[in-house]
Amino acid sequence: MPAAPHFWPPASGFWILVALILMLLISVAWYITQARRRNAYRRAGLTLLESANTVYEINVVLKRVALAVFPREQVAALHGEDWIQFMRSTCSDEQFAPLSPSNEATPASESTRAHARTWIRKHQTPAAK
């Protein structure tokens, strides 16, 4: 009876499987890194949003987030109803009327903050449209 085959060195199929698994792990890590980089401005906006106390400050945070991803010419001059319309066109599931301030010192309600959070998380970037 012949002796049992040795455990080491493994067959060539084992090395091919190891190489495929390694390539898959590198691809997944690269994809996750790229996704985190693409959405860094969203995380920064959510952090800034926590310190905003008035509707005006929330709108400033939202404008900064928009300027990070949309062309400056498209966003910088927007205010009032044009700004609300822009937000609706980039995130269709939300109502942004509470973000239209009548006074700069209007305190931000939790629902206003929630609408802003939703826009930051869910707005569609120009490449996604």
Side-chain angles (χ1 to χ4, degrees), residues 52-72:
N53 296 318
T54 64
V55 174
Y56 174 77
E57 290 172 350
I58 288 176
N59 275 312
V60 169
V61 169
L62 291 173
K63 183 79 71 127
R64 288 180 68 182
V65 169
L67 286 170
V69 69
F70 291 96
R72 186 170 201 80

Side-chain angles (χ1 to χ4, degrees), residues 34-91:
Q34 293 302 313
R36 285 193 53 81
R37 248 186 226 151
R38 273 192 312 273
N39 290 315
Y41 74 97
R42 291 181 197 255
R43 289 190 306 278
L46 289 170
T47 302
L48 288 173
L49 186 63
E50 296 308 314
S51 63
N53 296 318
T54 64
V55 174
Y56 174 77
E57 290 172 350
I58 288 176
N59 275 312
V60 169
V61 169
L62 291 173
K63 183 79 71 127
R64 288 180 68 182
V65 169
L67 286 170
V69 69
F70 291 96
R72 186 170 201 80
E73 300 80 25
Q74 182 182 359
V75 175
L78 296 176
H79 65 280
E81 190 55 40
D82 292 336
W83 173 241
I84 301 300
Q85 186 57 39
F86 168 79
M87 291 176 58
R88 281 187 190 127
S89 69
T90 56
C91 183

